[in-house]
Amino acid sequence: MSLIQPARIPFDDPQIVAARTDLVAALRAFLPAESVLEKQEEVRPYECDGLSAYRQLPLLVVLPRTVEEVQRILRLCSERKVPVVARGAGTGLSGGALPLGDGLLLSLARFNRILDLDPVARTARVQPGVRNLAISEAAKPHGLYYAPDPSSQIACTIGGNIAENSGGVHCLKYGLTVHNLLSVTFVTMDGELIELGSEALDSPGFDLLALYIGSEGMLGVTVEVTVKLLPVPERAQALLAAYDDVEKAGQAVGDIIAAGIIPAGLEMMDGPAIQAAEDFVHAGYPTEAAALLICELDGTNQEVSEQVMQVRDLLLESGATEVRTSRDDAERLRFWQGRKSAFPAVGRISPDYYCMDGTIPRRALPEVLRRTAELSKEYGLRVANVFHAGDGNMHPLILFDANEPGELERTEELGGRILELCVEVGGTITGEHGVGIEKINQMCVQFSPEELRQFHAVKEAFDPDGLLNPGKGIPTPRRCSEYRELPTPRAHHAHH
Amino acid sequence: MSLIQPARIPFDDPQIVAARTDLVAALRAFLPAESVLEKQEEVRPYECDGLSAYRQLPLLVVLPRTVEEVQRILRLCSERKVPVVARGAGTGLSGGALPLGDGLLLSLARFNRILDLDPVARTARVQPGVRNLAISEAAKPHGLYYAPDPSSQIACTIGGNIAENSGGVHCLKYGLTVHNLLSVTFVTMDGELIELGSEALDSPGFDLLALYIGSEGMLGVTVEVTVKLLPVPERAQALLAAYDDVEKAGQAVGDIIAAGIIPAGLEMMDGPAIQAAEDFVHAGYPTEAAALLICELDGTNQEVSEQVMQVRDLLLESGATEVRTSRDDAERLRFWQGRKSAFPAVGRISPDYYCMDGTIPRRALPEVLRRTAELSKEYGLRVANVFHAGDGNMHPLILFDANEPGELERTEELGGRILELCVEVGGTITGEHGVGIEKINQMCVQFSPEELRQFHAVKEAFDPDGLLNPGKGIPTPRRCSEYRELPTPRAHHAHH
């Protein structure tokens, strides 16, 4: 039995069918017919997000077009106590947008307009369903871009980025979503409109904007966003370094940061990830290497030239067997191509894979890699490692076959133990993917009962009836006590 | 009657005396005698903070030494429903640490140890009563420092900085307190210990750390902090530019930022502030100027040299009548000396002054300066302007005489109108000083009733009985409706 997925609710259960019929009638009173999807084949595309091992058909799907429609939908669900899951592009990797069988799925797909772009103030006001990359595309003619760049940036939406506080390769230098937003307007579960933040430096009162960002759809439904835009750097250049030993690569990461250099990106891949990526995209990676570092520097011409030389020296001193420096933008992009394709590349060599996401202090990197390899052996499951090494955000990819009985469950257990290892060394169970349903058990390891109680209290301050994305993000005390009693080697650590 | 200060509670009111006697007895059961102050002359030093126009003697003062003592004090007050005001160095400028006549004042003065300083991880773990500058002093031998630098940094404590999310001259480049902290441990009103944040990039769950920072002592009492340290820049150099017109100086600020330069500091003073500062410290400022800009650049030698030349050109192009470039560190510090002494300098030319704090979009700078001058004339009160121009954080100083009947009230009213002007142009009523008691009425202008309701709900999630620093930060709905009905030209704007 999966430790993670809740029991499924059948789409055609008579009670569910009756509830659907009722709710559809009420919704059609103020929504056009094409905004309410109720047939099984219509709602099927919404049954999972990027964590596709877990699926559930929603009660029904609504696609509102206006803020007022969102308010009315939430007011209606609030009165009838119908739970609601909001969804952007559904690219999330922790199951945060997994539907509820007895809940409404609210898609923001039609909120896809860029409302305003001010090149002087360097801001863009957009609807939540606008794709991450579309913002940078619109800003490009002004020499500007939106910095956070999750791997899914072609598809993922800014609303989803807010829910997960998404990062990306460039967040080492430019920060997570929270560092690149100015304001958010959202609708509460009882239909009220709240505006957080402003164009000004600081806001009076509690920093509800920061609280809201990364709240995984549990506090409100985003309907408008103002993001900061940055000037496109004059130049970007990348270095690629190969190592015969993962620990040396880890050391190099520390050396670069200690030298006071903040690269635009500093990524690491281990042997299995390198081979999978190279087999897939032929980026020219040295496939015999035990580890590969990609370091990108950006800024003025002068700055980049100096830093490239400095980093090159550091990489060689740390024992790199080979260091390449990109000669032009085409080569720089080729260096990245393998890294950016690492997830689908791993998907090719295994029927299924499970992408973990944890963050550790940089100094713990060699230890965590070694112990992950031990766990991989213990569970008999291959693990490829890809990570944002500069900020200690690791993405171990567990290779498995969901059709082998018990293998998903073993994968979940191994994934959980890797996350708990992150907590043990002073890190956290997420870097940028969120908790969703995937890591909810590990929240019991990361936080004390008092701390979890505080999370619930804050949730209640926004959504007293617990109707917004219930079952995600924060475990109930009962779930934690059950988890702590499981007869596995897991969950035996004290919280931090 | 003051619009701001609540009615005072006499120290020797019989009911207050009885409450004091009771509480002292209960506190002495677990606190040594010297940790409880109950005599009028002992508690007198705590009657106000940096907003010294408003005073109130506390019920009594406690000075705990350990986390456990803080927990027991709060648990006791929680049981007896005694309100609590926590206090660092008492340098705050919005009255956030103003005591309550029927409440306990909890001083963190004895939590003054640096617990750990890790030069490799670049972090310092400190107690909340450690002074801001003491952290940089301890880090200096390792070539590191703590970036946020409020004007009061010699005296103010990191705990107070957290309460107010303090900034300073350097926050344009290095961010506010919230951007320079890794974790905070605090005690809730019912005595529970909560740890927020970690050394890792991101934390799972709601971002309670960001929520807590800047919460003005209303959510908990800080007992431990881990801050980030930064490498001391290789070089810093400053430019001083004089203008015969405030608008031209405002334009120059925009030009520098638009050129993609982020100065370490970018400060502006208007004529009255320049004259007061020069009379006081003889920094060599051109006293006939209508506005002065100070721009500091820091980084590598190379970087600074290039940017100084670039900024110099921009300043001259924008119409500066004179531009000076610091030749050495002594001259750089002399440029700053007048700016850093502006508040006491203004204190010399007026019996009293009131330091406001609002933030506006940079583009609104000329308009806000012009309209502030009009308001100054309307109220017959002089206003000197000093501000962190780079991030639009203004500090108008209103000169007045508290001994003139009605002048404090007129000053409060003028201050309020300046803040409301900030809101009108798309800014906010605070940059770095917090709301405290000073700006609580303007919260009614900044936020809608729904938004204020959300603030109260979050407050209740941490402190259901409203015992932590009540009356600060968030106005009650009743206060807002009373304020909106005042027969003044104020409060007639809609919220944003």
Side-chain angles (χ1 to χ4, degrees):
Chain A
M1 199 195 82
S2 165
L3 280 171
I4 290 176
Q5 166 123 35
R8 289 202 200 180
I9 297 178
F11 189 76
D12 51 7
D13 173 284
Q15 271 191 298
I16 292 294
V17 171
R20 182 179 300 121
T21 310
D22 261 20
L23 195 61
V24 166
L27 288 164
R28 291 222 201 275
F30 60 91
L31 288 175
E34 77 272 13
S35 297
V36 185
L37 311 181
E38 56 168 323
K39 297 200 189 93
Q40 186 156 349
E41 65 273 21
E42 290 172 331
V43 307
R44 175 74 65 194
Y46 299 89
E47 71 173 340
C48 69
D49 64 10
L51 186 71
S52 56
Y54 310 108
R55 290 161 194 265
Q56 167 68 55
L57 290 169
L59 179 65
L60 55 83
V61 176
V62 288
L63 294 123
R65 284 187 187 281
T66 67
V67 174
E68 212 200 342
E69 284 178 358
V70 174
Q71 290 182 285
R72 292 187 71 170
I73 292 164
L74 290 178
R75 232 176 265 134
L76 177 72
C77 289
S78 197
E79 280 159 22
R80 299 188 174 206
K81 310 285 177 239
V82 176
V84 173
V85 178
R87 177 188 173 102
T91 54
L93 291 168
S94 58
L98 183 76
L100 295 166
D102 57 355
L104 177 143
L105 189 110
L106 196 165
S107 164
L108 279 304
R110 287 176 180 166
F111 277 75
N112 60 356
R113 282 185 307 129
I114 294 178
L115 302 170
D116 186 40
L117 197 151
D118 182 339
V120 176
R122 290 190 190 149
T123 58
R125 201 160 56 83
V126 307
Q127 290 187 317
V130 169
R131 290 174 306 109
N132 173 297
L133 197 61
I135 302 176
S136 290
E137 284 164 356
K140 202 175 174 186
H142 308 285
L144 300 171
Y145 77 116
Y146 175 66
D149 56 345
S151 301
S152 57
Q153 70 177 148
I154 296 175
C156 66
T157 64
I158 187 73
N161 291 176
I162 290 172
E164 303 301 336
N165 191 18
S166 305
V169 159
H170 284 87
C171 69
L172 173 61
K173 183 165 181 178
Y174 298 104
L176 299 164
T177 302
V178 69
H179 305 111
N180 290 277
L181 287 193
L182 288 168
S183 69
V184 168
T185 304
F186 73 94
V187 179
T188 61
M189 188 63 211
D190 55 2
E192 278 172 5
L193 202 63
I194 306 259
E195 187 185 336
L196 303 174
S198 77
E199 274 187 62
L201 168 73
D202 190 23
S203 278
F206 304 135
D207 191 353
L208 300 188
L209 179 59
L211 175 70
Y212 186 81
I213 298 170
S215 63
E216 307 196 31
M218 291 187 287
L219 303 184
V221 176
T222 306
V223 292
E224 200 181 298
V225 191
T226 303
V227 303
K228 291 185 214 173
L229 302 174
L230 295 181
V232 178
E234 194 183 337
R235 179 170 158 209
Q237 196 170 359
L239 296 103
L240 184 81
Y243 288 86
D244 56 11
D245 173 355
V246 170
E247 298 213 9
K248 286 182 196 162
Q251 186 56 47
V253 169
D255 292 346
I256 292 169
I257 303 290
I261 296 166
I262 304 181
L266 184 50
E267 299 282 312
M268 186 164 160
M269 297 166 77
D270 72 356
I274 297 166
Q275 285 140 32
E278 186 56 25
D279 288 350
F280 184 31
V281 297
H282 312 291
Y285 287 174
T287 49
E288 71 292 350
L292 210 61
L293 276 187
I294 306 176
C295 177
E296 179 161 308
L297 299 158
D298 69 10
T300 62
N301 239 317
Q302 175 73 36
E303 222 179 326
V304 173
S305 305
E306 278 179 34
Q307 291 190 343
V308 164
M309 279 165 40
Q310 210 182 338
V311 169
R312 193 183 157 81
D313 289 347
L314 288 169
L315 292 169
L316 288 169
E317 279 162 29
S318 65
T321 54
E322 182 187 349
V323 179
R324 297 184 205 162
T325 307
S326 68
R327 274 157 303 186
D328 51 27
D329 245 33
E331 188 167 19
R332 179 177 69 84
L333 295 174
R334 207 151 54 241
F335 285 1
W336 281 112
Q337 200 181 4
R339 166 64 187 87
K340 295 224 169 183
S341 319
F343 292 7
V346 165
R348 282 174 74 240
I349 59 168
S350 171
D352 298 284
Y353 71 93
Y354 198 95
C355 172
M356 305 303 302
D357 164 53
T359 310
I360 53 171
R362 275 188 300 266
R363 63 172 175 279
L365 218 138
E367 179 190 349
V368 169
L369 283 172
R370 184 176 43 76
R371 289 177 59 188
T372 300
E374 287 165 15
L375 285 168
S376 158
K377 204 172 286 174
E378 181 182 334
Y379 280 81
L381 292 165
R382 287 182 295 167
V383 177
N385 281 292
V386 170
F387 40 124
H388 307 318
D391 44 31
N393 183 192
M394 16 188 310
H395 291 310
L397 301 165
I398 306 175
L399 282 50
F400 74 104
D401 183 349
N403 289 325
E404 284 292 320
E407 203 156 304
L408 172 62
E409 290 71 17
R410 235 168 54 244
T411 301
E412 288 178 350
E413 194 173 307
L414 170 56
R417 287 193 66 185
I418 294 174
L419 292 179
E420 289 161 24
L421 172 59
C422 292
V423 177
E424 198 192 316
V425 301
T428 70
I429 59 170
T430 177
E432 52 187 12
H433 295 178
V435 173
I437 58 161
E438 185 196 24
K439 298 165 180 171
I440 199 159
N441 291 325
Q442 280 68 44
M443 288 289 280
C444 312
V445 179
Q446 181 95 62
F447 294 105
S448 70
E450 292 73 31
E451 287 159 352
L452 292 172
R453 199 148 59 225
Q454 194 56 63
F455 281 121
H456 281 293
V458 169
K459 163 75 168 158
E460 274 166 38
F462 284 77
D463 174 22
D465 294 322
L467 296 171
L468 269 174
N469 217 5
K472 316 285 174 68
I474 322 168
T476 58
R478 188 175 154 192
R479 181 160 192 153
C480 283
S481 44
E482 282 173 11
Y483 181 70
R484 291 199 183 98
E485 274 158 29
L486 284 179
T488 74
R490 305 167 66 174
H492 286 181
H493 322 293
H495 76 277
H496 47 203
Chain B
M1 202 195 79
S2 164
L3 280 171
I4 291 176
Q5 165 124 32
R8 288 201 201 181
I9 297 178
F11 189 76
D12 51 6
D13 174 285
Q15 270 191 299
I16 292 295
V17 171
R20 182 179 300 123
T21 309
D22 260 19
L23 195 60
V24 166
L27 288 163
R28 291 220 201 277
F30 61 91
L31 288 175
E34 78 272 13
S35 297
V36 185
L37 311 181
E38 55 167 326
K39 298 203 187 89
Q40 185 156 349
E41 66 273 20
E42 290 173 331
V43 306
R44 175 74 65 194
Y46 300 89
E47 71 173 340
C48 68
D49 64 8
L51 187 69
S52 56
Y54 310 108
R55 288 160 196 266
Q56 167 69 55
L57 290 169
L59 180 65
L60 54 84
V61 175
V62 288
L63 294 123
R65 284 187 188 281
T66 66
V67 173
E68 211 201 342
E69 284 177 358
V70 174
Q71 290 181 284
R72 292 186 71 171
I73 292 164
L74 291 179
R75 233 177 264 133
L76 178 71
C77 290
S78 199
E79 282 159 22
R80 300 189 173 206
K81 310 286 178 237
V82 175
V84 173
V85 178
R87 177 187 175 103
T91 54
L93 291 169
S94 59
L98 183 76
L100 296 165
D102 57 355
L104 177 143
L105 189 109
L106 196 165
S107 164
L108 278 305
R110 288 177 179 165
F111 277 73
N112 59 356
R113 282 184 308 128
I114 294 177
L115 302 169
D116 186 39
L117 198 151
D118 182 339
V120 176
R122 291 190 190 150
T123 57
R125 201 161 55 83
V126 305
Q127 290 188 316
V130 168
R131 290 175 306 111
N132 173 296
L133 196 62
I135 302 175
S136 290
E137 284 165 355
K140 202 175 174 188
H142 307 285
L144 301 171
Y145 77 116
Y146 175 67
D149 56 347
S151 300
S152 57
Q153 70 178 146
I154 297 176
C156 67
T157 63
I158 188 73
N161 292 176
I162 291 172
E164 304 300 336
N165 191 18
S166 304
V169 160
H170 284 87
C171 70
L172 173 61
K173 183 163 181 178
Y174 297 104
L176 298 165
T177 302
V178 68
H179 305 111
N180 290 277
L181 288 193
L182 288 168
S183 69
V184 167
T185 305
F186 73 94
V187 179
T188 61
M189 189 63 211
D190 54 2
E192 277 171 5
L193 204 61
I194 306 260
E195 188 185 336
L196 304 174
S198 78
E199 274 187 62
L201 169 73
D202 191 23
S203 277
F206 304 134
D207 190 352
L208 299 189
L209 179 59
L211 175 69
Y212 186 81
I213 297 171
S215 63
E216 308 196 30
M218 293 187 286
L219 303 184
V221 176
T222 307
V223 291
E224 200 179 298
V225 190
T226 304
V227 303
K228 290 186 214 172
L229 302 174
L230 296 181
V232 177
E234 194 181 336
R235 179 169 157 209
Q237 195 171 358
L239 296 103
L240 184 80
Y243 288 85
D244 56 12
D245 173 356
V246 171
E247 298 213 8
K248 286 182 196 162
Q251 186 55 47
V253 169
D255 293 345
I256 293 169
I257 303 291
I261 296 166
I262 304 182
L266 184 49
E267 299 283 311
M268 187 164 158
M269 297 165 78
D270 72 356
I274 297 166
Q275 285 140 32
E278 185 55 26
D279 288 348
F280 184 32
V281 298
H282 312 292
Y285 287 175
T287 49
E288 70 293 351
L292 210 61
L293 277 187
I294 306 176
C295 176
E296 179 161 309
L297 300 158
D298 69 9
T300 63
N301 241 317
Q302 175 72 37
E303 222 179 325
V304 173
S305 305
E306 278 179 33
Q307 291 191 343
V308 163
M309 279 164 41
Q310 211 182 337
V311 170
R312 194 186 155 80
D313 289 347
L314 288 169
L315 292 170
L316 288 169
E317 279 162 29
S318 65
T321 53
E322 183 187 347
V323 179
R324 299 183 204 162
T325 308
S326 68
R327 275 156 302 187
D328 51 28
D329 246 31
E331 188 167 19
R332 180 176 67 83
L333 295 175
R334 209 154 48 241
F335 286 1
W336 281 112
Q337 201 181 3
R339 166 65 187 86
K340 294 223 169 182
S341 318
F343 293 7
V346 165
R348 281 175 75 241
I349 60 167
S350 171
D352 298 283
Y353 70 94
Y354 198 95
C355 172
M356 305 305 300
D357 164 53
T359 310
I360 53 172
R362 273 190 299 268
R363 65 173 174 278
L365 218 139
E367 179 191 349
V368 169
L369 282 173
R370 184 174 46 73
R371 288 177 60 187
T372 300
E374 287 165 13
L375 285 169
S376 158
K377 205 173 285 174
E378 180 182 335
Y379 281 81
L381 292 166
R382 285 182 296 167
V383 178
N385 281 291
V386 170
F387 41 123
H388 307 319
D391 45 30
N393 183 192
M394 17 187 311
H395 291 310
L397 300 166
I398 306 174
L399 281 50
F400 74 105
D401 182 350
N403 287 325
E404 284 290 319
E407 204 156 305
L408 172 62
E409 291 70 18
R410 238 170 50 243
T411 301
E412 288 178 349
E413 194 172 308
L414 170 56
R417 288 192 66 185
I418 294 173
L419 293 179
E420 289 161 24
L421 171 59
C422 293
V423 177
E424 197 192 315
V425 301
T428 70
I429 59 169
T430 177
E432 51 188 10
H433 295 178
V435 173
I437 58 161
E438 185 196 22
K439 297 164 179 172
I440 198 160
N441 290 326
Q442 280 68 45
M443 288 290 281
C444 311
V445 180
Q446 181 96 61
F447 294 105
S448 71
E450 293 73 30
E451 287 159 351
L452 291 172
R453 199 148 58 227
Q454 194 55 62
F455 280 121
H456 281 292
V458 169
K459 163 72 170 160
E460 275 166 38
F462 284 76
D463 174 22
D465 295 322
L467 296 172
L468 268 173
N469 216 6
K472 315 286 173 69
I474 322 168
T476 58
R478 188 175 153 191
R479 180 162 193 150
C480 283
S481 42
E482 283 172 8
Y483 182 70
R484 290 198 184 100
E485 274 157 29
L486 282 180
T488 73
R490 306 167 65 174
H492 288 179
H493 323 291
H495 78 276
H496 45 206

